[in-house]
Amino acid sequence: MAKFNTSGVRAVAQGPIRTDSSATGATHEGGAGYARDAKSELFLLAVTNMVGENTFYEAAGQRDSRFVALVREVAPTDLEWLTRFARWLRLEANMRSAALVLAAEAAKASVEAGQAGSRGIVNTVLQRADEPGEFLSYWIGRYGKQLPKPVKRGVADAAARLYNEKSYLKWDSDSRGVRFADVIQLTHAQPRSDRQSALFKHAIEQRIGVAEGVPESLKVLRANASLRAHDAETIRGMARSDELAAHLSTAGVTWEAIPSLVNGRWTKELWESIIPSMGYAALLRNLRNFDQAGVGDEAAAKVAARLADPEQVATSRQLPMRFLSAYRAAPSLRWSYPLEQALDAAVAAIPELAGRTLILVDTSGSMRTGFSKDGTLKRWDAAVVFGLALARRCAHADLISYSNHTLRFPLQPGESLLRAVGRWQSDGFFIGGGTSTARSVRDTFDRHDRVIVLTDEQTAVGGDPGSAVPASVPLYTWNLAGYQHGHGAGGANRHTFGGLSDKGFDLIPLLERGRDTGWPF
């Protein structure tokens, strides 16, 4: 009789996150804590780090210091890995501030180590025209105005790539500590064309107060000055004749500037005139304003079509929770279905999972903390969105809310994801209290093919959740907070992922087919 060569044999696969096989520390709740190598800890922290924001267990300064220390530990040994990670973090994970800090600290550590490559990592994370100034503000605040040559060149590369007349009008203002002119002068950025050269010269002259009009070659700036010379009633007339969007585009004026142009508040006509030219993120965050101004159904239908378009969702790189936030904020039900479609598109990377899946969502007190100061989106919101989305992809799923005890969430076939999130809230499935992950897994496991836990990993008692299921059953931890110590040992069939998007869930079927998986970049 065969002992090893059986139909149930499965290759042992490794994911990218490396967790110790034995406890070497403690979670913030005093439970056994399992450390990770520097890259793994940095990855889990970066993909959940809003920079400058408190979490339940870590003050903003403490969290940011740990982030910087990890970057500076990795940079001298593997700057190439950090550069790939920084680009992915900025462009795919859409973590703007974390990517900027990562690049700055990696560059600092690399320069100190006498290592080449800093220019590239700086340039690659600066993707929007306000970011060279953001980067320099961060650098000057920490290290002063002395810029190492690779850093200077990296910022200069980005400025030459990103600075044009429209970005100058949008992002350069007295409210910025570091202006376009300051970036140009500090980095000696070289213009790529005669027109950009004229823009750089004009920006510097404006900054020091010696500009004498706008050069003929800067047509957008001249159109902008001409538009702003019109009185408010003329601009309102443009809106009534549907000419406003074209005039704004020619003049490099974005929708945010309209109230100042008309010297008044938004009206139905102003919104309807400008909606066709607005970007996806601007539409998403203004649904309440559209309703309050009385925007008509025809204009709203255009907004809805764009919100629901999977290609525009992908291009916008909005995190899934943004659609939940917009749904909660919007007064009118006319946005519900397009937001549902948009959210479905935002979690489209979650794979279909055969067999029986146990999904546990941590709704303990520490998961109640917000991602940002306004507190509108909480970590348990993200956990519930992903838990429900996962359940919809499973052939059979048992979905559990847990803290000190467990509640089985009754799934309803065909129910929309946003409605299910609302039912989770209204029916009391956000529990609060302490975190007993291992006990919750043990109490709800019933010969499932896999277990997925969405959590911040900060357990108090109960030991390693991996010990609560047979070693042959994969247990996947989805980390939503990035604290230093995990709740369980790594090793065969024990995997950890993390983040605020759906990017990592597609690793599950790969691992179950016995394929090792690398970083998502």
Side-chain angles (χ1 to χ4, degrees):
M1 179 179 175
K3 292 185 177 180
F4 307 112
N5 189 15
T6 66
S7 61
V9 70
R10 185 186 317 203
V12 174
Q14 289 281 348
I17 303 297
R18 297 289 186 260
T19 305
D20 285 352
S21 58
S22 59
T24 55
T27 68
H28 287 284
E29 283 292 326
Y34 296 78
R36 298 182 170 112
D37 65 26
K39 287 181 180 177
S40 299
E41 185 183 341
L42 175 60
F43 178 87
L44 291 175
L45 178 54
V47 296
T48 57
N49 188 17
M50 295 299 181
V51 179
E53 302 288 351
N54 295 324
T55 60
F56 190 85
Y57 294 108
E58 283 184 307
Q62 178 186 2
R63 189 171 176 84
D64 293 344
S65 293
R66 181 163 65 90
F67 183 61
V68 168
L70 288 165
V71 173
R72 292 177 67 83
E73 179 180 348
V74 174
T77 60
D78 203 341
L79 185 61
E80 188 272 336
W81 180 90
L82 271 180
T83 301
R84 289 189 290 115
F85 179 31
R87 181 174 179 79
W88 176 87
L89 190 65
R90 177 65 183 88
L91 293 177
E92 298 296 327
N94 203 30
M95 302 297 286
R96 177 171 170 262
S97 296
L100 186 149
V101 172
L102 188 154
E105 297 297 343
K108 176 67 172 173
S110 297
V111 168
E112 290 174 349
Q115 179 182 17
S118 300
R119 179 177 185 173
I121 194 171
V122 171
N123 183 28
T124 198
V125 301
L126 303 180
Q127 295 292 325
R128 204 171 68 182
D130 62 324
E131 291 174 359
E134 280 281 291
F135 183 96
L136 287 181
S137 294
Y138 177 83
W139 186 280
I140 291 167
R142 283 184 63 84
Y143 302 117
K145 286 189 175 182
Q146 289 297 112
L147 300 176
K149 188 174 291 185
V151 172
K152 183 184 296 185
R153 288 176 173 172
V155 178
D157 291 341
R161 173 167 47 84
L162 297 168
Y163 284 4
N164 55 45
E165 291 175 78
K166 288 189 175 182
S167 65
Y168 173 70
L169 289 167
K170 181 176 177 64
W171 297 113
D172 191 73
S173 72
D174 290 337
S175 66
R176 309 277 174 172
V178 177
R179 303 281 296 272
F180 273 40
D182 301 321
V183 173
I184 294 164
Q185 290 183 303
L186 284 169
T187 67
H188 306 296
Q190 296 301 304
R192 295 182 173 185
S193 66
D194 290 343
R195 188 169 177 178
Q196 193 180 53
S197 178
L199 174 65
F200 283 13
K201 182 174 184 291
H202 178 73
I204 293 169
E205 290 175 347
Q206 280 286 103
R207 181 74 164 111
I208 60 178
V210 298
E212 297 180 0
V214 180
E216 288 285 343
S217 61
L218 300 181
K219 299 184 184 303
V220 176
L221 266 60
R222 292 179 68 84
N224 184 273
S226 175
L227 179 66
R228 291 181 181 278
H230 290 306
D231 60 43
E233 187 52 42
T234 299
I235 292 175
R236 289 193 186 94
M238 293 176 186
R240 288 191 290 269
S241 63
D242 293 329
E243 297 176 358
L244 184 56
H247 281 282
L248 293 179
S249 178
T250 301
V253 178
T254 59
W255 64 271
E256 296 100 327
I258 289 179
S260 65
L261 289 174
V262 301
N263 194 29
R265 59 189 180 87
W266 283 99
T267 64
K268 171 181 180 291
E269 292 75 22
L270 288 171
W271 276 126
E272 290 182 352
S273 177
I274 200 61
I275 276 173
S277 65
M278 292 176 70
Y280 190 95
L283 294 175
L284 188 63
R285 69 173 180 261
N286 277 294
L287 300 181
R288 173 185 287 276
N289 293 329
F290 298 158
D291 287 342
Q292 290 177 340
V295 165
D297 288 341
E298 183 178 349
K302 296 176 182 177
V303 175
R306 289 186 61 195
L307 291 179
D309 184 345
E311 290 187 7
Q312 294 208 36
V313 173
T315 302
S316 75
R317 300 192 184 97
Q318 296 295 307
L319 295 173
M321 291 80 68
R322 301 299 183 198
F323 301 105
L324 174 60
S325 179
Y327 174 75
R328 288 174 172 172
S332 173
L333 291 176
R334 64 185 175 180
W335 310 118
S336 299
Y337 186 52
L339 288 172
E340 175 70 27
Q341 292 173 292
L343 179 55
D344 280 346
V347 295
I350 294 178
E352 294 183 358
L353 298 175
R356 300 178 65 244
T357 305
L358 176 62
I359 304 168
L360 294 104
V361 176
D362 179 357
T363 57
S364 64
S366 62
M367 291 288 285
R368 188 184 292 158
T369 53
F371 289 109
S372 58
K373 290 183 175 69
D374 65 13
T376 55
L377 290 172
K378 305 182 188 305
R379 295 188 191 277
W380 67 16
D381 288 324
V384 171
V385 167
F386 289 139
L388 287 163
L390 275 163
R392 288 170 49 162
R393 299 286 202 277
C394 295
H396 175 87
D398 292 306
L399 182 59
I400 308 295
S401 177
Y402 81 93
S403 60
N404 284 324
H405 64 282
T406 62
L407 292 174
R408 185 180 299 271
F409 184 78
L411 296 166
Q412 296 181 359
E415 183 178 35
S416 79
L417 192 55
L418 288 171
R419 185 176 292 274
V421 174
R423 187 162 58 86
W424 187 291
Q425 182 174 20
S426 64
D427 291 358
F429 284 85
F430 288 115
I431 301 173
T435 313
S436 297
T437 307
R439 185 174 67 193
S440 298
V441 172
R442 190 174 293 111
D443 289 348
T444 54
F445 178 78
D446 182 19
R447 295 169 294 175
H448 291 89
D449 295 296
R450 67 187 62 80
V451 179
I452 303 172
V453 185
L454 299 115
T455 176
D456 63 6
E457 298 197 73
Q458 299 309 293
T459 59
V461 295
D464 180 355
S467 65
V469 297
S472 60
V473 175
L475 185 142
Y476 304 97
T477 296
W478 191 265
N479 184 299
L480 288 148
Y483 294 119
Q484 182 176 9
H485 287 102
H487 64 187
N493 281 330
R494 302 295 180 259
H495 305 290
T496 302
F497 312 114
L500 305 177
S501 76
D502 62 350
K503 300 298 182 184
F505 289 106
D506 57 353
L507 298 181
I508 292 174
L510 297 178
L511 289 163
E512 293 187 4
R513 288 199 294 268
R515 289 180 53 185
D516 287 349
T517 62
W519 303 101
F521 45 84

